PDB file of all heavy atoms in Angstrom:
ATOM      1  N   CYS A  34      -0.890 -18.708   0.990  1.00 97.00           N
ATOM      2  CA  CYS A  34      -1.275 -18.066   2.248  1.00 97.00           C
ATOM      3  C   CYS A  34      -2.669 -18.582   2.616  1.00 97.00           C
ATOM      4  O   CYS A  34      -3.619 -18.371   1.858  1.00 97.00           O
ATOM      5  CB  CYS A  34      -1.286 -16.547   2.106  1.00 97.00           C
ATOM      6  SG  CYS A  34      -1.976 -15.738   3.583  1.00 97.00           S
ATOM      7  N   PRO A  35      -2.792 -19.247   3.745  1.00 96.00           N
ATOM      8  CA  PRO A  35      -4.091 -19.815   4.116  1.00 96.00           C
ATOM      9  C   PRO A  35      -5.121 -18.740   4.458  1.00 96.00           C
ATOM     10  O   PRO A  35      -6.314 -19.023   4.523  1.00 96.00           O
ATOM     11  CB  PRO A  35      -3.763 -20.688   5.337  1.00 96.00           C
ATOM     12  CG  PRO A  35      -2.499 -20.146   5.879  1.00 96.00           C
ATOM     13  CD  PRO A  35      -1.745 -19.539   4.728  1.00 96.00           C
ATOM     14  N   SER A  36      -4.676 -17.524   4.653  1.00 97.00           N
ATOM     15  CA  SER A  36      -5.603 -16.468   5.024  1.00 97.00           C
ATOM     16  C   SER A  36      -6.237 -15.802   3.796  1.00 97.00           C
ATOM     17  O   SER A  36      -7.443 -15.632   3.734  1.00 97.00           O
ATOM     18  CB  SER A  36      -4.864 -15.446   5.887  1.00 97.00           C
ATOM     19  OG  SER A  36      -5.702 -14.370   6.206  1.00 97.00           O
ATOM     20  N   CYS A  37      -5.408 -15.422   2.809  1.00 97.00           N
ATOM     21  CA  CYS A  37      -5.956 -14.693   1.654  1.00 97.00           C
ATOM     22  C   CYS A  37      -5.939 -15.513   0.371  1.00 97.00           C
ATOM     23  O   CYS A  37      -6.567 -15.122  -0.606  1.00 97.00           O
ATOM     24  CB  CYS A  37      -5.197 -13.384   1.446  1.00 97.00           C
ATOM     25  SG  CYS A  37      -3.489 -13.615   0.935  1.00 97.00           S
ATOM     26  N   GLY A  38      -5.186 -16.607   0.353  1.00 97.00           N
ATOM     27  CA  GLY A  38      -5.150 -17.448  -0.837  1.00 97.00           C
ATOM     28  C   GLY A  38      -4.116 -17.052  -1.869  1.00 97.00           C
ATOM     29  O   GLY A  38      -4.034 -17.671  -2.935  1.00 97.00           O
ATOM     30  N   ALA A  39      -3.313 -16.020  -1.580  1.00 97.00           N
ATOM     31  CA  ALA A  39      -2.243 -15.661  -2.519  1.00 97.00           C
ATOM     32  C   ALA A  39      -1.244 -16.813  -2.596  1.00 97.00           C
ATOM     33  O   ALA A  39      -1.041 -17.539  -1.620  1.00 97.00           O
ATOM     34  CB  ALA A  39      -1.544 -14.381  -2.069  1.00 97.00           C
ATOM     35  N   TYR A  58       1.882 -20.616   4.411  1.00 95.00           N
ATOM     36  CA  TYR A  58       2.610 -19.564   5.137  1.00 95.00           C
ATOM     37  C   TYR A  58       1.767 -18.305   5.095  1.00 95.00           C
ATOM     38  O   TYR A  58       1.282 -17.923   4.029  1.00 95.00           O
ATOM     39  CB  TYR A  58       3.965 -19.320   4.456  1.00 95.00           C
ATOM     40  CG  TYR A  58       4.822 -18.285   5.143  1.00 95.00           C
ATOM     41  CD1 TYR A  58       5.649 -18.646   6.212  1.00 95.00           C
ATOM     42  CD2 TYR A  58       4.805 -16.959   4.727  1.00 95.00           C
ATOM     43  CE1 TYR A  58       6.429 -17.705   6.849  1.00 95.00           C
ATOM     44  CE2 TYR A  58       5.585 -16.009   5.365  1.00 95.00           C
ATOM     45  CZ  TYR A  58       6.401 -16.383   6.424  1.00 95.00           C
ATOM     46  OH  TYR A  58       7.172 -15.449   7.047  1.00 95.00           O
ATOM     47  N   ILE A  59       1.574 -17.663   6.232  1.00 96.00           N
ATOM     48  CA  ILE A  59       0.791 -16.420   6.255  1.00 96.00           C
ATOM     49  C   ILE A  59       1.623 -15.321   5.604  1.00 96.00           C
ATOM     50  O   ILE A  59       2.736 -15.025   6.054  1.00 96.00           O
ATOM     51  CB  ILE A  59       0.462 -16.007   7.714  1.00 96.00           C
ATOM     52  CG1 ILE A  59      -0.369 -17.088   8.414  1.00 96.00           C
ATOM     53  CG2 ILE A  59      -0.236 -14.655   7.746  1.00 96.00           C
ATOM     54  CD1 ILE A  59      -1.846 -17.051   8.104  1.00 96.00           C
ATOM     55  N   CYS A  60       1.097 -14.738   4.528  1.00 96.00           N
ATOM     56  CA  CYS A  60       1.860 -13.728   3.788  1.00 96.00           C
ATOM     57  C   CYS A  60       2.036 -12.469   4.644  1.00 96.00           C
ATOM     58  O   CYS A  60       1.320 -12.252   5.615  1.00 96.00           O
ATOM     59  CB  CYS A  60       1.159 -13.394   2.474  1.00 96.00           C
ATOM     60  SG  CYS A  60      -0.332 -12.385   2.671  1.00 96.00           S
ATOM     61  N   GLN A  61       2.966 -11.592   4.224  1.00 95.00           N
ATOM     62  CA  GLN A  61       3.247 -10.435   5.093  1.00 95.00           C
ATOM     63  C   GLN A  61       2.094  -9.432   5.130  1.00 95.00           C
ATOM     64  O   GLN A  61       1.932  -8.722   6.118  1.00 95.00           O
ATOM     65  CB  GLN A  61       4.579  -9.758   4.740  1.00 95.00           C
ATOM     66  CG  GLN A  61       4.661  -9.073   3.414  1.00 95.00           C
ATOM     67  CD  GLN A  61       5.648  -9.792   2.497  1.00 95.00           C
ATOM     68  OE1 GLN A  61       5.729 -11.018   2.487  1.00 95.00           O
ATOM     69  NE2 GLN A  61       6.390  -9.036   1.702  1.00 95.00           N
ATOM     70  N   ALA A  62       1.281  -9.410   4.065  1.00 97.00           N
ATOM     71  CA  ALA A  62       0.119  -8.506   4.102  1.00 97.00           C
ATOM     72  C   ALA A  62      -0.869  -8.973   5.171  1.00 97.00           C
ATOM     73  O   ALA A  62      -1.343  -8.175   5.990  1.00 97.00           O
ATOM     74  CB  ALA A  62      -0.556  -8.460   2.729  1.00 97.00           C
ATOM     75  N   CYS A  63      -1.161 -10.265   5.189  1.00 97.00           N
ATOM     76  CA  CYS A  63      -2.101 -10.790   6.200  1.00 97.00           C
ATOM     77  C   CYS A  63      -1.509 -10.663   7.598  1.00 97.00           C
ATOM     78  O   CYS A  63      -2.230 -10.403   8.566  1.00 97.00           O
ATOM     79  CB  CYS A  63      -2.443 -12.244   5.883  1.00 97.00           C
ATOM     80  SG  CYS A  63      -3.478 -12.400   4.407  1.00 97.00           S
ATOM     81  N   GLN A  64      -0.190 -10.840   7.710  1.00 96.00           N
ATOM     82  CA  GLN A  64       0.455 -10.699   9.012  1.00 96.00           C
ATOM     83  C   GLN A  64       0.351  -9.255   9.514  1.00 96.00           C
ATOM     84  O   GLN A  64       0.038  -9.001  10.675  1.00 96.00           O
ATOM     85  CB  GLN A  64       1.929 -11.116   8.895  1.00 96.00           C
ATOM     86  CG  GLN A  64       2.619 -11.307  10.229  1.00 96.00           C
ATOM     87  CD  GLN A  64       1.940 -12.381  11.086  1.00 96.00           C
ATOM     88  OE1 GLN A  64       1.817 -13.527  10.671  1.00 96.00           O
ATOM     89  NE2 GLN A  64       1.465 -12.001  12.263  1.00 96.00           N
ATOM     90  N   LEU A 106       0.015  -8.530  -2.374  1.00 97.00           N
ATOM     91  CA  LEU A 106       0.298  -8.129  -0.991  1.00 97.00           C
ATOM     92  C   LEU A 106       0.139  -6.623  -0.775  1.00 97.00           C
ATOM     93  O   LEU A 106       0.387  -6.124   0.319  1.00 97.00           O
ATOM     94  CB  LEU A 106       1.702  -8.566  -0.572  1.00 97.00           C
ATOM     95  CG  LEU A 106       2.002 -10.054  -0.736  1.00 97.00           C
ATOM     96  CD1 LEU A 106       3.230 -10.439   0.070  1.00 97.00           C
ATOM     97  CD2 LEU A 106       0.831 -10.942  -0.360  1.00 97.00           C
ATOM     98  N   ARG A 108      -2.327  -3.822  -0.369  1.00 98.00           N
ATOM     99  CA  ARG A 108      -3.757  -3.694  -0.071  1.00 98.00           C
ATOM    100  C   ARG A 108      -4.047  -2.559   0.895  1.00 98.00           C
ATOM    101  O   ARG A 108      -3.190  -2.166   1.672  1.00 98.00           O
ATOM    102  CB  ARG A 108      -4.279  -4.954   0.640  1.00 98.00           C
ATOM    103  CG  ARG A 108      -4.054  -6.211  -0.116  1.00 98.00           C
ATOM    104  CD  ARG A 108      -4.500  -7.383   0.719  1.00 98.00           C
ATOM    105  NE  ARG A 108      -3.765  -8.554   0.277  1.00 98.00           N
ATOM    106  CZ  ARG A 108      -3.614  -9.653   0.996  1.00 98.00           C
ATOM    107  NH1 ARG A 108      -4.155  -9.731   2.196  1.00 98.00           N
ATOM    108  NH2 ARG A 108      -2.930 -10.658   0.518  1.00 98.00           N
TER     109      ARG A 108
HETATM  110 ZN1   ZN B 201      -2.254 -13.555   2.903  1.00 85.43          ZN
END
Side-chain angles (χ1 to χ4, degrees):
C34 172
S36 177
C37 67
Y58 182 85
I59 299 279
C60 74
Q61 67 247 38
C63 290
Q64 193 59 58
L106 305 197
R108 303 175 205 160

